Amino acid sequence: MMSEKSARGRSAMGDKGASVAVVNCGELVTLAGPARARVGRELQELGIKKDAALLVLDGRIAEVGSYNDLRARFPAGIEVVDAGGRVVMPGFVDAHTHLVFGGDRVSEFVQRVGGKTYQEIAAAGGGIVSTLRKTREASEAELADAALRHADWFLRGGTTTIEAKSGYGQTVESELKILRVIAELKERTALRMIATVLAAHVVPPEFKQDRAGYVRLVTEEMLPAVAGHMLAQYCDVFCDEHAFTVDEARVILTAAKRRGFGLRMHVEQFASDGGAQLAAEVGATTADHLEYTERAGIDALKAAGVQPVLVPGSVFALGRSKYPDARAMIEAGLAPVLATDFNPGSSPMTSMAFVISLAALYMKMLPAEAIVGATMNAAASLDMADEVGSLEPGKQADFVIHEFRDYREIAYYVAAPMRPQVYVAGRRVA
Ligand SMILES: [Zn+2]
């Protein structure tokens, strides 16, 4: 896991990034401040500089300030980009995606439109298990080709870093296959990626009568193999009704922690069953979903310093109405993260701008709070707060020139057909 951490700051497109000066930024949303997750009032402090400029040298931010202050320090011949008075902000950091999978679930989508529930479809052999089958059958090249198409969608939407989970294999070899694809994608796309082994996503059909056997496979074979190949930084478990129990999740996460993995969890998407408390108990970095989490769960997360990762897109795309209680979490002092939960079943969406609109409309998060959740707080949840998530000297020059002139328009114009100019390490990538 050390090698992943040392390698990830580097741009996939070369050891050094590019140099560029961006001038005439109407609102330069810096998010300047401590390199850690933000809470409470900090969630409304975006560090906006008006009529500002940004100097990028070799892929990193060198200076932020007024054009008059900075221009004397522009190196001769540097490319100068005119932002046209528009909003410039850090690239989005999406801390929860299932990027790599075989096939799609378009037919199931149509079944759900016709009235079937997610659980009914899963009980009939659809759902995660159908993607499991297709992912096991797919070659690495097929998986990579499909994932590259989606990686491009992330970049075009202004997302420059994602967390990417495995989880559609659930055998040692197929999980390694997915994680190798993620490792390969890091070299083939400008999108930065942090890999997570989602060791326990669904009980695979061959272990339906032997759940304990699957837990043993994970702890005794899968996690040692993934750690041995240094293919993932985090381990995740789906702890919920129809997935893994609190006791099963505890066994897996405890073993993962012993092997040096950071911990992330899918909890309380469909029921309040103690998943949030388990995330606190095992010292998880994040607890994701939390649609059904109540006061006791929120208090436990606060006491243990666990970051909530909220994925309103999956609530929306499942046609459900129970969103996580973001206001209670913010008032309790938690550091919320927003993410797409991009996956072929419950959340086929890559747009963080749309997730920000959903967070505002259905979770009553202010546009500023949602933007912090989609940048700095997400970066902190991936242990990357010193590299990405804000525009400050020394950080990676991963930024987006939006078409808006006021940052609040990102939440306000729902699903606007944006064509942001996206830069990773100072290079235009979309
Ligand atoms: Zn997920």
Side-chain angles (χ1 to χ4, degrees), residues 22 25 27-34 38 46-49 52-56 59-65 86-93 160 371 375-376 379 385-402 423-426:
V22 185
C25 308
E27 284 187 351
L28 183 61
V29 180
T30 67
L31 286 106
R38 313 283 168 81
L46 295 182
I48 294 174
K49 292 185 185 298
L54 188 66
L55 175 60
V56 173
R60 291 196 180 256
I61 295 165
E63 295 199 54
V64 173
R86 296 187 293 265
V87 170
V88 179
M89 65 164 60
F92 295 125
V93 177
T160 51
I371 286 169
T375 55
M376 191 63 210
D386 53 353
E387 285 287 326
V388 299
S390 68
L391 300 178
E392 299 174 271
K395 286 210 165 180
Q396 298 286 352
D398 296 359
F399 61 92
V400 179
I401 304 173
H402 287 279
Y423 289 77
V424 172

Side-chain angles (χ1 to χ4, degrees), residues 218-271:
V218 169
T219 57
E220 293 174 11
E221 297 179 44
M222 188 187 294
L223 295 179
V226 173
H229 289 88
M230 293 190 288
L231 283 170
Q233 187 173 340
Y234 292 95
C235 175
D236 193 338
V237 173
F238 188 5
C239 174
D240 214 317
E241 280 181 348
H242 314 290
F244 290 84
T245 66
V246 166
D247 288 338
E248 290 164 344
R250 181 186 290 111
V251 170
I252 293 169
L253 293 164
T254 304
K257 192 175 190 176
R258 216 178 297 125
R259 296 221 169 252
F261 291 97
L263 308 180
R264 314 181 85 82
M265 289 185 73
H266 286 66
V267 297
E268 300 185 330
Q269 180 181 8
F270 298 111

Side-chain angles (χ1 to χ4, degrees), residues 96-98 165 198 201 236 266 289 311 341-343 346:
H96 183 143
T97 85
H98 304 252
K165 302 178 195 295
L198 177 42
H201 193 191
D236 193 338
H266 286 66
H289 276 287
V311 290
D341 190 15
F342 173 68
N343 75 73
S346 61

